[in-house]
């Protein structure tokens, strides 16, 4: 007798859920349709592509993906989200490492910004208004066509929306700052649907929070930025050392740190790139750099470090000397993102930001390289590590105080990106990939004092990170919490690692 009632209960429960679900989606559907916003719903033929993540480790089912074309429409979508009791998120370029552009969890209402791609440049003020649906390649091309530039990362397909919300590091950052630094006004829609223009004078607290933690506070529709003259000479430098034993590699990273602390001029940029060696105990060690100054001083700036290094296996200057060519070379793809489809990957990534005033010991550098040379050799993942130069004296990133904007980790010498993909870049992600990447970070931190004040980078966002409030936001977290309470009291803009009240 027992099975029947329980089956019935289950049936009633399922029907109830289906009913609830269809009621919700019917309202949402009519709300969005009523607002005139093109939207894609579960069951639509384009839902799978509209809800696909860049990182295929995540498969998420948003409540809908809406494509507004104006700030007013963004406001209507937020209002529809509120009326349907949904969390709301923006998707810029969709390149979040943990699919936060899809909400980072199931059931969020996604505001896809890709229909808002205007860029207007005022050539008398040398300012630009950039809608947040643009990708970095589009921004670089449009500014360069007017002889201008701004700091931003390398990948053409990364969205300026997410990138500038959380920082935005690129090879011009030592001379111009992070992507968020040239922003002097942000046009945004708040959690109650109000459209605002935030500056240092109007909504100053909101402006502060948007520069480093924007997704927790608003949907930004455009940023207004000061631009720089595109450098008249620029070049990329590439050096590589194959089959480097781990102790030489540890020494090489340590001496790169020493060189960095000596304060190379701000037009100098660079990162170490470490990848799998051809036998256990070795790594492939490389340096990619750029120079935005006078022709002839690129290599001489790097020479003090090269003098400490073994002879490279290969070295070359890449590019034709024009600024936009270095942007294209560093991106490794077309800058015009309408020309080819975006890629995808299946990966786990972490970050580590080392404090400028407390550099790594030689022991920590060597332990790191030993781990990569041994565990990295046997790992079945495709992995790389980038050690990006943020600091050293002369870096613009560090000139701005940590508490001047929500971005809290400016006093950083190096930002490590530690990244491992499944062997064929497709799911499933191997379970040992997590412990492998976690161990990379541990190999450094466990060889430094427990008081070491390291951080993590919000744009290399990590769904497994413990203590992320401190690692990402450090001393700015309490102020962010109180502003969250003020600007989003109902936690509409909630996602994994959003600011909690
Ligand atoms: C191939 C690749 C290369 C990269 N290279 C660099 C690099 O050189 N330097 C660097 O600093 N980073 C780099 N990154 C990291 C990149 O900056 C982040 O992943 C960034 O957050 C992506 O922004 P998005 O708009 O493409 O992503 P999305 O997934 O669309 O958004 C990321 C986050 O920002 C939020 N968001 C997006 N748009 C808005 C908006 N308009 N208003 C409010 N919130 C918004 C989303 O909700 C989400 O939380 C790279 C990433 C990849 C995949
Ligand atoms: C989201 O829903 C899909 C389909 O129902 C499911 O496969 C996936 O595991 C869910 N993801 C999360 C994070 O709950
Ligand atoms: C959404 O639909 C509900 C139910 O029809 C209605 O009460 C509400 O006003 C609508 N909201 C918007 C923003 O149109
Ligand atoms: C450029 O900015 C100036 C100063 O704010 C303004 O007077 C002018 O109208 C702007 N030009 C354009 C084309 O927007
Ligand atoms: C450290 O850098 C200084 C220059 O600032 C240089 O003179 C010295 O040789 C370097 N030491 C090492 C170990 O690389
Ligand atoms: C240099 O390269 C860029 C793009 O990669 C191209 O637009 C430009 O025309 C080139 N300039 C010269 C002088 O070849
Ligand atoms: C940052 O900290 C300094 C020193 O404590 C303080 O004087 C300043 O007002 C702070 N700035 C902001 C924006 O909170
Ligand atoms: C919306 O929120 C902002 C910021 O908290 C507030 O200034 C504004 O008055 C609110 N608008 C409405 C209509 O409640």
């Amino acid at each position: 007798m027992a099975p029947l009632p329980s089956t019935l209960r289950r049936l009633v429960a399922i029907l109830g859920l289906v009913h609830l679900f269809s009621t919700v989606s019917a309202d949402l559907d009519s709300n969005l349709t009523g607002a005139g916003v093109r939207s894609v719903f579960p069951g639509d033929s384009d839902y799978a592509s509209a809800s696909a993540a860049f990182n295929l480790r995540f498969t998420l089912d948003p409540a809908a993906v809406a494509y507004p074309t104006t700030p007013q429409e963004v406001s209507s979508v937020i209002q529809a989200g509120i009326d349907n009791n949904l969390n709301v998120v923006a998707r810029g370029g969709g390149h979040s490492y943990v699919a936060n552009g899809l909400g980072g969890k199931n059931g969020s209402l996604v505001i896809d910004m890709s229909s808002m791609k205007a860029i207007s440049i005022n050539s008398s003020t040398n300012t630009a208004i950039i809608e947040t649906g643009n990708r970095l390649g589009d921004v670089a091309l449009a500014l360069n066509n007017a002889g201008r530039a701004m700091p931003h990362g390398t990948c053409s397909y990364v969205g300026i929306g997410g990138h500038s919300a959380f920082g935005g590091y690129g090879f011009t950052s030592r001379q111009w700052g992070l992507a968020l630094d040239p922003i002097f006004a942000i046009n945004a829609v708040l959690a109650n649907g109000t459209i605002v223009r935030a500056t240092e004078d109007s909504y100053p607290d909101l402006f502060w929070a948007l520069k480093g933690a924007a997704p927790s506070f608003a949907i930004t529709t455009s940023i207004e930025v000061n631009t720089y003259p595109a450098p008249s000479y620029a070049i990329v430098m590439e050096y590589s050392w194959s089959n480097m034993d781990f102790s030489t590699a540890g020494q090489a990273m340590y001496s790169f740190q020493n060189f960095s602390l000596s304060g190379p001029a701000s037009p100098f940029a660079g990162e170490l790139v470490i990848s799998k060696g051809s036998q256990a105990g070795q790594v492939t060690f490389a340096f990619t750099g750029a120079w935005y100054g006078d022709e002839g001083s690129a290599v001489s700036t790097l020479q003090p470090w090269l003098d400490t290094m073994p002879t490279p296996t290969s070295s070359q200057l890449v590019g034709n000397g024009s600024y936009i060519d270095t942007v294209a070379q560093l991106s490794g793809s077309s800058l015009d993102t309408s020309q080819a489809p975006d890629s995808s990957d299946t990966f786990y990534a972490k970050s580590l930001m080392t404090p400028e005033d407390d550099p790594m010991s030689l022991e920590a550098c060597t332990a790191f390289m030993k781990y990569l040379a041994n565990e990295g050799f046997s790992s079945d993942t495709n992995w790389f590590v980038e050690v990006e130069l943020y600091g050293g004296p002369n870096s613009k990133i560090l000139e701005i105080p940590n508490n001047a904007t929500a971005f809290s980790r400016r006093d950083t010498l190096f930002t490590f990106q530690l990244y491992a993909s499944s062997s064929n870049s497709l799911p499933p992600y191997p379970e040992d990939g997590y412990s492998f990447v976690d161990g990379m970070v541990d190999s450094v931190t466990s060889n430094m004092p427990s008081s070491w004040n390291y951080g993590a980078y919000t744009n290399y966002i990590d769904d497994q990170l413990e203590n992320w409030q401190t690692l990402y936001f450090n001393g700015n977290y309490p102020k962010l919490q109180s502003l969250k309470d003020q600007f989003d009291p109902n936690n509409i803009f909630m996602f994994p690692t959003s600011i909690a009240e």
Side-chain angles (χ1 to χ4, degrees), residues 190 192 194 203 486-487:
L190 304 181
N192 62 11
T194 304
Y203 295 95
Q486 182 183 338
F487 287 99

Side-chain angles (χ1 to χ4, degrees), residues 54 90 92-97 100 132 153-155 159 162-163 169 218 220 457 459:
F54 173 77
H95 274 219
S96 167
Y97 286 1
N100 277 348
T132 51
T154 52
C155 173
H163 188 67
Y169 166 85
T220 65
Y457 179 34
N459 260 331

Side-chain angles (χ1 to χ4, degrees), residues 84-108:
N84 289 278
N85 205 16
L86 297 169
N87 287 131
V88 179
V89 293
R91 178 168 61 187
H95 274 219
S96 167
Y97 286 1
V98 300
N100 277 348
L102 290 165
K105 62 186 178 66
N106 278 337
S108 296

Side-chain angles (χ1 to χ4, degrees), residues 58-61 104-107:
F58 297 88
T59 47
L60 296 178
D61 291 345
K105 62 186 178 66
N106 278 337

Side-chain angles (χ1 to χ4, degrees), residues 107 118 153 199 206 217 241 256 272 290 322 333 409 421 454:
T199 67
L206 178 70
F217 293 90
W241 294 261
F256 185 67
L272 305 178
S322 83
S333 69
R409 290 282 179 185
S421 309
Y454 65 93

Side-chain angles (χ1 to χ4, degrees), residues 320-322 324-326 328-329:
N320 64 16
S322 83
I324 198 65
D325 192 46
T326 59
Q329 296 294 343

Side-chain angles (χ1 to χ4, degrees), residues 3 107 181 239 263 281 298 301 353 365 372:
D181 289 326
Y239 294 81
T301 304
M353 300 176 97
C365 294
L372 297 179

